[in-house]
Amino acid sequence: MTAARSMRAAVLHAPGEPLRLEEVRLAGPGRGELLVRVQAAGVCHSDLHYMTGDLTCRLPVVLGHEGAGIVEDVGPGVSGIEPGDAVVFTWRPRCGRCEFCLIGRPALCAAGQVPAATGGLLDGTSRLSLGDGRPAHHLMGVSCFAEFCVVARESVVRIPAGTSPRIAALTGCAVITGVGAVLNVMGADGTGPGRGPGTGVLVIGAGGVGLAVVMGAAMVGAYPIIAADLSAERLEVARSLGATHTIVAGQADLAGAVREIQPGGVQWAFEAVGQPETLVAGARSLRPTGTLVAIGLSRAGQTVPLPINELVQRDLRVIGSLYGSSNTVVQIPRLLELHQAGRLDLSRIPGPEYPLAEINEAYARLPSQSVGRGLILIGES
Ligand SMILES: [Zn+2]
Ligand SMILES: [Zn+2]
């Protein structure tokens, strides 16, 4: 079994501070755990929430929760996965036995929330420590802004060998969150009101998750697919991925602009920004019986002032969707299969690439400028 090792990792010591690239100690994998060599990690907005203090976690912490790599070693009691296998991390491990796991909604597994609560792995303990011996924490049981991760077997999904790590990494958060919300929440079965082809969809926010919603909506034949974002550059990418109309937000009354495109309003609005104003604009863009789906995280405690009478009189629904309401174990490999088959071209989702040493630059560029999902390339094979 692998002994403890020293490795480079991006550590958050306190909110508001830049990440520190430093040598940390990583213990070998324990029972039911894996050592994974990280190849690529996504620059997801959720990590930024921890850096700014909008969300809190146990500190110091090695950030990174969206990534892919190669299994380097397995601990005792691990079956069905071996060194050399390609894996994607999931930021909610699943027990596989509880009610939510059994109905195919592992993101809601109570055991899976232990890592978030403790800063440890599935058993609540950490394998990380700083160079001076002080303990360090995992983020959501993953911590992939590092050369290696030790994770619970339940925190990875095995994927076909040879999958591009750039694409694979993003399926673990952005892609499954966005495409999953369309497939699992909006439904692709073509039955029932507001579900079939020709259904109007608004996507607010054209970052990694929003682009994935656009792609999912295009795959199920939605029309129109209206993307709204502050950046005209991002909207251009959205258009190339299937958005039929775009709105430069901030310059226009969003709901008014949506109604100019689809006069009655859209049946579905997906909000990937996590801001009260855009959630309200999403609700105001709906046609009667329409649904607003909140998929972007906000700072802890943030609330939305929604117009009560409009909700009632126009028969609207406002719902949330965590992790695309997906069965990650089944659906992440399936999305990669669709990509391989040319039915879901994920190659346009990855954006600018950075080495681990430039992770602070990657996050500095995130809020406004970057197009597509930024990637940290760590140890590509
Ligand atoms: Zn994420
Ligand atoms: Zn469970």
Side-chain angles (χ1 to χ4, degrees), residues 94-114:
R94 66 273 165 191
C95 76
R97 296 178 299 275
C98 72
E99 178 187 349
F100 292 108
C101 283
L102 291 173
I103 62 165
R105 299 291 301 281
L108 301 172
C109 172
Q113 292 168 40
V114 168

Side-chain angles (χ1 to χ4, degrees), residues 44 46 65-66 91 173 373:
C44 177
S46 298
H65 65 279
E66 176 185 80
W91 48 256
C173 184
R373 183 70 129 200

Side-chain angles (χ1 to χ4, degrees), residues 349-362:
I349 301 259
E353 298 175 355
Y354 308 87
L356 185 57
E358 289 174 19
I359 191 158
N360 286 310
E361 286 85 329

Side-chain angles (χ1 to χ4, degrees), residues 321-364:
S321 169
L322 180 69
Y323 222 159
S325 305
S326 64
N327 185 339
T328 43
V329 187
V330 174
Q331 288 188 302
I332 288 174
R334 192 163 289 168
L335 294 182
L336 286 167
E337 205 179 305
L338 287 167
H339 168 68
Q340 225 66 45
R343 302 297 298 269
L344 180 73
D345 181 9
L346 299 175
S347 59
R348 295 292 312 276
I349 301 259
E353 298 175 355
Y354 308 87
L356 185 57
E358 289 174 19
I359 191 158
N360 286 310
E361 286 85 329
Y363 271 98

Side-chain angles (χ1 to χ4, degrees), residues 10 25 83 236 296 326:
R25 297 285 290 168
E236 218 176 287
S326 64

